[in-house]
Amino acid sequence: MHVFVILSLVLVARQVASQNWNYQLSSQMPNVCSFQRRFVTYERQPERKAITKNVRVLQPGCLRPRELCYTSQLRTFYYTMYRNQPKIEFRTEYQCCQGWSQYPRRSGCSLSSCTVRPCLRGGRCTGSATGCRCPRGFQGSQCQYDMDECKTQNGGCEHNCCNTVGGYYCTCNAGYTLQSDKKNCLDTNECNNSNGGCNHTCLNLPGSFQCRCPSGSTLAADKKTCTGGTASRNSGRGGTGATINGGVIRERPHPYYQQSRLSNSCNNRNGGCEDICKETYYGVMCACKPGYSLARDFVSCKGLWIVIVFMSFSMR
């Protein structure tokens, strides 16, 4: 008796386990989407066809022997045949919307995808079709993929965009400096740092610089030192190099020979110079006659003979 009861319970348990506890989906259930499924069916359709052939026909009123009274005539016969004609049909069916699945013994689709597959990278489950709400820099149904920000408008970087896991950063080409916004790049003026190492003139260029020499001198193999002409004589005391920055030429101070800031030609009021005006490759320069030195305004001249006379009288 006990064995019979145990066997009955086992059979009932198997039957219960084999049953599908999911409800049939319908449009009124939550998170259920409809779609059209395409079916191909075949219908048997009749088709009438004709065939023509020669047949033996007995001639009416023939007086000859019967065998000689037959003649051949063309006659058309009709028959019906059937063929399978394909027919396309669409049926409306229902399934769980994207990101949702059925929960056993519950109506509709109430199980979110991120409940089954948890969110990664610190993502948060939204409980909706979108699944996980990913943090910045990640994407995917589980936030499992890194987002390459550099593929969209170079990440907003002016020069180079470097993608990292969950982020990115911008870099600049050689000769440029990254600005405070971490995206734009500004040209580095190498001439502001020890004249760029140039012996004479430093010319700032976008992303680079060049050293140049005055007329009569040539640039050495190191691309910085000037040889020949006045450059070699001035190289021991620093030269008279100029720095060109944004189109503005700034001349280095040199005894008795400074640049005038008032004019670009000596024909215009002597270039603003009080005494001697000279036009050079870099602009107008003011100078003074022997016995005078250029004042701090780089235009006026001040005398030195008073000092010389005083020294001569004191030596007697």
Side-chain angles (χ1 to χ4, degrees):
M1 184 65 182
H2 295 288
V3 175
F4 177 76
V5 173
I6 294 174
L7 292 175
S8 300
L9 292 175
V10 171
L11 291 176
V12 171
R14 287 184 178 181
Q15 185 177 2
V16 171
S18 62
Q19 290 183 355
N20 185 7
W21 292 99
N22 291 334
Y23 288 87
Q24 188 69 27
L25 297 178
S26 62
S27 58
Q28 292 79 19
M29 295 180 179
N31 306 317
V32 174
C33 297
S34 62
F35 69 99
Q36 297 293 320
R37 186 181 293 275
R38 181 175 178 267
F39 292 91
V40 179
T41 59
Y42 295 91
E43 291 183 350
R44 192 179 183 188
Q45 294 183 350
E47 184 177 355
R48 192 180 184 189
K49 291 190 175 183
I51 184 172
T52 304
K53 64 180 179 178
N54 290 318
V55 296
R56 291 179 67 190
V57 179
L58 184 64
Q59 297 180 0
C62 181
L63 301 178
R64 291 178 293 177
R66 186 179 179 86
E67 291 78 8
L68 299 177
C69 291
Y70 284 99
T71 183
S72 178
Q73 292 183 358
L74 285 174
R75 290 190 178 181
T76 301
F77 298 91
Y78 295 93
Y79 66 96
T80 301
M81 64 175 299
Y82 295 88
R83 65 186 181 91
N84 292 327
Q85 179 69 26
K87 182 181 179 181
I88 300 177
E89 295 181 353
F90 291 92
R91 299 177 187 174
T92 302
E93 294 188 0
Y94 301 94
Q95 64 180 7
C96 291
C97 298
Q98 184 180 3
W100 295 93
S101 59
Q102 280 187 279
Y103 196 85
R105 306 181 67 177
R106 288 187 182 180
S107 175
C109 303
S110 58
L111 190 61
S112 176
S113 60
C114 61
T115 305
V116 180
R117 295 177 297 173
C119 303
L120 307 175
R121 309 287 187 179
R124 299 179 60 185
C125 183
T126 60
S128 62
T130 56
C132 300
R133 180 178 297 170
C134 301
R136 184 177 181 181
F138 295 97
Q139 60 184 352
S141 59
Q142 295 179 262
C143 308
Q144 69 272 34
Y145 301 118
D146 172 63
M147 181 183 296
D148 191 353
E149 297 85 353
C150 297
K151 290 184 177 180
T152 304
Q153 297 181 351
N154 199 38
C157 302
E158 184 178 0
H159 285 181
N160 308 313
C161 180
C162 301
N163 184 56
T164 60
V165 178
Y168 73 102
Y169 63 92
C170 302
T171 61
C172 298
N173 297 332
Y176 291 86
T177 304
L178 193 64
Q179 297 302 289
S180 58
D181 60 1
K182 304 300 182 181
K183 291 186 177 181
N184 294 313
C185 298
L186 181 66
D187 174 57
T188 302
N189 191 350
E190 295 86 355
C191 297
N192 289 336
N193 185 13
S194 301
N195 199 39
C198 300
N199 179 232
H200 197 264
T201 302
C202 179
L203 176 62
N204 184 51
L205 299 174
S208 181
F209 72 100
Q210 288 182 358
C211 296
R212 293 186 178 182
C213 298
S215 178
S217 302
T218 57
L219 198 63
D222 60 0
K223 303 299 182 180
K224 293 185 178 182
T225 306
C226 297
T227 60
T230 59
S232 59
R233 295 192 298 270
N234 293 333
S235 60
R237 50 184 178 177
T240 61
T243 301
I244 304 177
N245 183 16
V248 179
I249 303 177
R250 297 177 297 174
E251 192 70 16
R252 287 182 173 184
H254 191 279
Y256 312 110
Y257 196 62
Q258 298 292 344
Q259 180 182 12
S260 171
R261 306 174 185 175
L262 303 179
S263 175
N264 293 326
S265 174
C266 292
N267 296 328
N268 184 10
R269 295 191 303 171
N270 196 36
C273 300
E274 181 183 358
D275 198 345
I276 302 174
C277 177
K278 295 183 180 181
E279 294 183 2
T280 67
Y281 177 78
Y282 303 108
V284 171
M285 302 290 183
C286 295
C288 299
K289 296 179 180 179
Y292 293 87
S293 64
L294 202 61
R296 293 185 177 181
D297 59 1
F298 303 145
V299 176
S300 306
C301 296
K302 58 181 181 179
L304 297 176
W305 64 273
I306 299 177
V307 178
I308 298 175
V309 172
F310 176 77
M311 291 178 63
S312 62
F313 276 104
S314 61
M315 292 176 63
R316 292 180 179 179

